[in-house]
Amino acid sequence: MAYKITDECISCGACEAECPVSCISAGDAIYAIDADTCIDCGNCANVCPVGAPQAE
Ligand code: SF4
Ligand code: SF4
């Protein structure tokens, strides 16, 4: 299980600093989560203003 950032992402960057394992990075259009590193903590979903990170 891992979180995934959907197309709702507005690339604000808020989630990147909140990830305890630093697995969020800026992509071409939206931010992306490295699924192999994500520990499913939910921090990114809690800080995202548009609800882009979703649990898979
Ligand atoms: Fe990082 Fe937690 Fe979000 Fe996974 S769920 S990307 S570990 S902040
Ligand atoms: Fe995208 Fe939400 Fe992360 Fe901002 S907090 S970069 S909108 S996923």
Side-chain angles (χ1 to χ4, degrees):
M1 288 288 289
Y3 273 64
K4 182 173 172 38
I5 293 174
T6 66
D7 290 343
E8 311 290 305
C9 175
I10 55 172
S11 290
C12 73
C15 56
E16 187 175 9
E18 300 301 324
C19 180
V21 293
S22 300
C23 68
I24 303 175
S25 58
D28 288 338
I30 62 174
Y31 273 60
I33 291 170
D34 175 11
D36 291 335
T37 310
C38 175
I39 56 171
D40 232 12
C41 73
N43 283 3
C44 52
N46 290 335
V47 299
C48 180
V50 295
Q54 299 284 330
E56 293 207 296

